[in-house]
């Protein structure tokens, strides 16, 4: 059952399980509990569609636009959360991410990789991204086992894969089940403004919520509470819940809000392969269940340890579409379509803005010229890609263009070093419901930047050593270029970090807030390091693990 909270006629809601936030983390948590026979209330600040007024509840008061995207680009206050606008790239963390690496400060996870892997298959089901195989060695039907012929796996691997979901909008994909499941009540337009502790400070007494438009107060009580509001908003809710604990819930050791990470990403080089251009795997492969999968250049765990490199992946991508020098009609068409006023209807605005960014000023005329000279290919592309991208249920995530010159831009996506000074705090400004907004002080470190540059040198050496190509840098000042591109906010990691010892974190190995018996967090904010992988797959994997723990250990009595 789904109810708009503005229409509720009572002021108190009760359930066995209370889940706050209906993004991938909250929806998978709610469904897992309900499917196993538990009664769940799922509270969502937004409704089924986007509302400007509700979206503004999530804005930050201060942040550095050069480093962090505005919150309205990073999250969606509606059923499905940010999965309404996300790209759909799915991959787990690597085993090395869970190691305590002496060269990565604060990399002390209390959980081992093997403890989460049993949940990967079911996690893939939630994302509709096929089977939990993330390396080509699990495939028997892909002909070429590396990105280009003659490039074996060694210090550099080119057999690791990312998988792509539909992309799965959790609000839409699970709407029918959420609406009809006899054990689930979804309350939309209801914002949790505070978690209230009992006098002992060890249990939750209830949640103070307000209807998102009218601001009417509703109390929600349960036996177990799970907060799944996204990384920043989860942290904000804990910080703002300060009636019993003056510094916020889970902030017993001043760790709440610290270690804010995402990823360091950008482009400083292109790869010029010297192999047969027709054999370069520059685009997607498809798994036997039709899931799109994509290869990447990564480093082996041994090599990362030996070179003290942070974890990073490199992907072959198209040249800058905004720069007409590429001479490609399809790329010019894509640029004109995305740069037009209709462009925001094709992809999330943040992704669109990134795609049309240009290092070189240019008018539209050379793009029209490219299309004219490349007319047959452009005309063929428009309906075929249009169908695959907008009509097919499994949508092609992007398009990649073959280049006879065998040159591809290299996009890097690497982990950030945990830094306690990179943090979220409560600001003085309040939202329309009276909740304090956050100030975001999101920082990259010199180690992040140096590691990106060293990774490129190692990629280059490996390609050269195997006689398959080399990197060509796009700029002479690599350091400046990496710093200029360092920006995130889409992956929100670290601010309720997991720890064995309560002195070093906010939640324990089971995602339970230290010192509070019935309060759990399902978010990437729990993650101790950010890995090279995008965060969402692991949010759901950990949520499934957490639900099993709650069912078998907390609710068993
Ligand atoms: C443009 C874009 C592209 C992305 N691409 C990828 C990708 O390809 N791969 C990937 O892994 N990740 C990607 N991400 C990140 C991904 O979307 C997030 O990691 C994921 O959605 C987080 O899931 P979540 O459930 O933790 O939080 P969210 O999806 O943010 O959901 C949180 C929910 O909680 C609700 N909420 C917040 N506060 C309250 C409150 N106080 N009371 C009640 N409800 C509340 C919100 O309205 C929201 O519905 C992308 C993000 C963006 C913005």
């Amino acid at each position: 059952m789904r109810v708009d909270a503005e229409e509720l006629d009572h002021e108190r809601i009760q359930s066995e399980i209370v889940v706050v936030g209906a993004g991938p983390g909250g929806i998978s948590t709610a469904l897992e509990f309900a499917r196993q026979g538990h009664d769940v209330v799922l509270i969502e600040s937004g409704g089924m569609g986007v509302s400007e007024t509700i979206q503004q509840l999530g804005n930050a008061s201060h942040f550095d636009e050069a480093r962090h995207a505005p919150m309205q680009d990073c999250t969606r206050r509606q059923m499905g959360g940010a999965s309404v606008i996300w790209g759909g790239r799915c991959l787990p963390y690597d085993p090395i991410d869970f190691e305590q690496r002496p060269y990565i400060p604060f990399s002390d996870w209390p959980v081992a990789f093997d403890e989460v892997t049993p949940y990967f298959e079911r996690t893939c089901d939630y994302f509709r991204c096929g089977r939990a195989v993330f390396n080509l060695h699990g495939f028997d039907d892909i002909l070429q086992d590396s990105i280009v012929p003659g490039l074996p796996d060694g210090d550099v691997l080119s057999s690791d894969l990312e998988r792509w979901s539909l992309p799965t909008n959790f609000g839409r994909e699970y709407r029918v089940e959420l609406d009809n499941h006899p054990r689930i009540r979804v309350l939309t337009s209801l914002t949790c403004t505070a978690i209230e502790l009992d006098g002992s400070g060890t249990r939750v007494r209830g949640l103070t919520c307000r209807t998102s438009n009218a601001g009417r107060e509703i109390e929600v009580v349960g036996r177990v509470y799970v907060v799944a509001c996204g990384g920043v908003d989860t942290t904000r809710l804990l910080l703002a819940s300060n009636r019993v604990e003056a510094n916020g819930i889970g902030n017993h050791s001043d760790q709440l809000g610290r270690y804010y990470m995402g990823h360091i990403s950008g482009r400083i080089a292109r790869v010029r392969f010297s192999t047969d251009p027709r054999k370069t795997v520059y685009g997607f492969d498809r798994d036997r269940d039709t899931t799109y999968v994509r290869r990447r250049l990564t480093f082996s765990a041994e090599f990362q340890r030996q070179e003290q490199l942070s974890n990073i992946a490199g992907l072959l991508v198209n040249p800058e579409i905004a720069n007409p020098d590429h001479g490609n009609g399809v790329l010019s068409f894509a640029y004109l379509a995305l740069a037009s006023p209709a462009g925001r209807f094709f992809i999330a605005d943040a992704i669109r803005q990134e795609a049309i960014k240009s290092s070189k000023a240019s008018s539209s005329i050379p793009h029209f010229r490219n299309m004219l000279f490349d007319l047959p290919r452009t005309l063929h592309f428009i309906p075929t890609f249009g169908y695959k991208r907008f009509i097919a249920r499994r949508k092609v995530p992007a398009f990649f263009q073959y280049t006879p010159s065998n040159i591809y831009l290299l996009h890097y996506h690497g982990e950030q070093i945990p830094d306690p000074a990179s943090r979220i705090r409560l600001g003085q400004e309040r939202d329309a419901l009276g909740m304090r907004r956050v100030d975001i002080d999101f920082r990259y470190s010199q180690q992040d930047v140096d590691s990106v540059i060293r990774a490129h040198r190692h990629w280059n050496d490996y390609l050269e050593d195997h006689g398959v190509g080399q990197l060509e840098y796009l700029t002479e000042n690599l350091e400046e270029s990496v710093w200029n591109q360092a920006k995130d906010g889409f992956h929100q990691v670290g601010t309720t970090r997991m720890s064995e010892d309560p002195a070093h974190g906010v939640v324990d190995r089971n995602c339970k807030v230290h010192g509070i018996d019935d309060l759990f967090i399902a978010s990437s904010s729990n993650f101790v390091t950010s890995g090279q992988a995008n965060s969402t797959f692991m949010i759901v994997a950990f949520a499934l693990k957490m639900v099993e723990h709650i069912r078998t250990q907390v609710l068993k009595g």
Side-chain angles (χ1 to χ4, degrees), residues 170-480:
F170 276 62
R172 192 190 305 135
E173 186 70 17
Y174 295 104
R175 176 181 180 158
V176 173
E177 186 175 353
L178 289 169
D179 286 359
N180 296 312
H181 201 294
R183 294 202 173 272
I184 299 184
R185 269 178 298 166
V186 180
L187 301 179
T188 55
S189 303
L190 191 63
T191 303
C192 178
T193 53
I195 302 162
E196 311 292 356
L197 296 184
D198 68 6
S200 71
T202 59
R203 292 194 75 81
V204 176
R205 184 166 51 76
L207 304 181
T208 299
C209 301
R210 288 185 180 277
T211 59
S212 302
N213 290 301
R216 188 162 60 86
E217 192 169 307
I218 294 177
E219 186 191 13
V220 182
V221 293
R223 193 165 160 206
V224 167
Y225 300 82
V226 177
V227 180
C229 296
V232 171
D233 277 323
T234 292
T235 309
R236 177 187 179 195
L237 182 56
L238 294 183
L239 285 166
S241 301
N242 51 11
R243 267 194 269 269
V244 173
E245 300 288 346
N247 296 321
I249 292 177
N251 206 7
H252 43 271
S253 49
D254 189 27
Q255 302 290 290
L256 179 63
R258 293 185 180 274
Y259 307 96
Y260 186 18
M261 290 168 275
H263 289 99
I264 186 159
S265 64
R267 291 145 196 206
I268 55 168
R270 56 183 162 239
V271 194
R272 180 186 288 275
F273 291 113
S274 53
T275 48
D276 181 347
R278 289 161 307 175
K279 296 207 167 141
T280 304
V281 188
Y282 57 90
F284 294 103
D285 292 296
R286 295 195 82 169
D287 197 356
R288 58 183 180 221
D289 59 11
T290 75
T291 306
Y292 289 96
V293 299
R294 191 150 148 69
R295 304 172 193 218
R296 44 229 327 279
L297 293 170
T298 51
F299 292 99
S300 71
E302 298 72 39
F303 191 73
Q304 288 184 47
R305 282 187 216 108
Q306 177 195 309
E307 296 299 325
Q308 308 207 334
L309 272 182
S310 12
N311 201 357
I312 188 167
L315 293 121
L316 303 184
V317 295
N318 293 320
E320 208 176 63
I321 63 171
N323 183 344
D325 293 351
H326 50 61
N328 182 310
V330 170
L331 297 180
S332 281
F333 170 77
Y335 169 71
L336 293 173
L338 292 178
S340 76
R344 63 188 63 240
F345 299 112
F346 299 139
I347 47 174
D349 207 42
I351 302 177
R352 185 185 75 90
Q353 284 176 25
E354 195 54 37
I356 61 175
K357 233 170 43 185
S358 177
S359 53
K360 184 181 168 189
S362 166
S363 74
S364 301
I365 295 165
H367 285 292
F368 283 112
R369 198 180 307 127
N370 284 345
M371 285 169 59
L372 201 64
F373 285 120
D374 205 5
L375 203 55
R377 187 159 52 147
T378 311
L379 287 179
H380 179 258
F381 169 81
I382 295 171
T384 42
F385 181 74
Y387 173 79
K388 288 187 197 161
R389 174 72 196 169
F390 300 109
I391 298 172
R393 171 164 156 83
R394 182 169 294 288
K395 301 191 176 11
V396 64
F399 68 94
F400 296 101
Q401 288 288 290
Y402 171 71
T403 63
S405 59
N406 221 0
I407 302 172
Y408 294 90
L409 263 187
L410 185 64
H411 179 87
Y412 59 86
H413 195 264
E415 74 177 316
Q416 253 187 282
I417 308 295
D419 172 6
S422 179
R423 67 188 293 193
I424 296 169
R425 279 182 263 229
L426 284 185
Q428 291 311 315
E429 211 179 287
R430 290 179 187 268
D431 68 16
L433 299 178
M435 202 174 166
R436 282 166 71 186
R437 297 190 187 278
V438 285
D439 285 346
I440 298 174
D441 181 4
F442 183 65
R443 300 187 188 186
Y444 288 91
S445 68
Q446 190 60 40
Q447 190 180 345
D448 295 329
V449 173
D450 292 344
S451 198
V452 167
I453 296 168
R454 288 194 298 122
H456 282 75
R457 301 221 158 101
H458 291 305
W459 276 324
N460 178 64
D461 292 349
Y462 197 78
L463 296 176
E464 282 189 348
D465 288 351
H466 289 86
V468 299
Q470 61 189 52
L471 296 196
E472 294 174 350
Y473 290 105
L474 307 175
T475 165
E476 284 186 0
N477 194 337
L478 297 181
E479 192 174 316
E480 183 182 76

Side-chain angles (χ1 to χ4, degrees), residues 20-26 43-46 73-83 85-90 164 190-193 228-231 233 237 348 350-351 435 490-492 522-524 534-537 539:
V20 189
I43 297 169
E44 169 52 44
S45 178
D73 288 351
C74 303
T75 58
R76 269 298 177 93
R77 286 246 176 163
Q78 68 177 91
M79 286 298 291
S83 77
I85 50 170
W86 76 319
R89 188 194 305 251
C90 293
W164 288 78
L190 191 63
T191 303
C192 178
T193 53
C229 296
D233 277 323
L237 182 56
I351 302 177
M435 202 174 166
F490 305 103
H491 305 135
Q492 303 172 354
S523 168
S524 47
N534 305 43
S535 319
T536 318
F537 186 88
I539 295 175

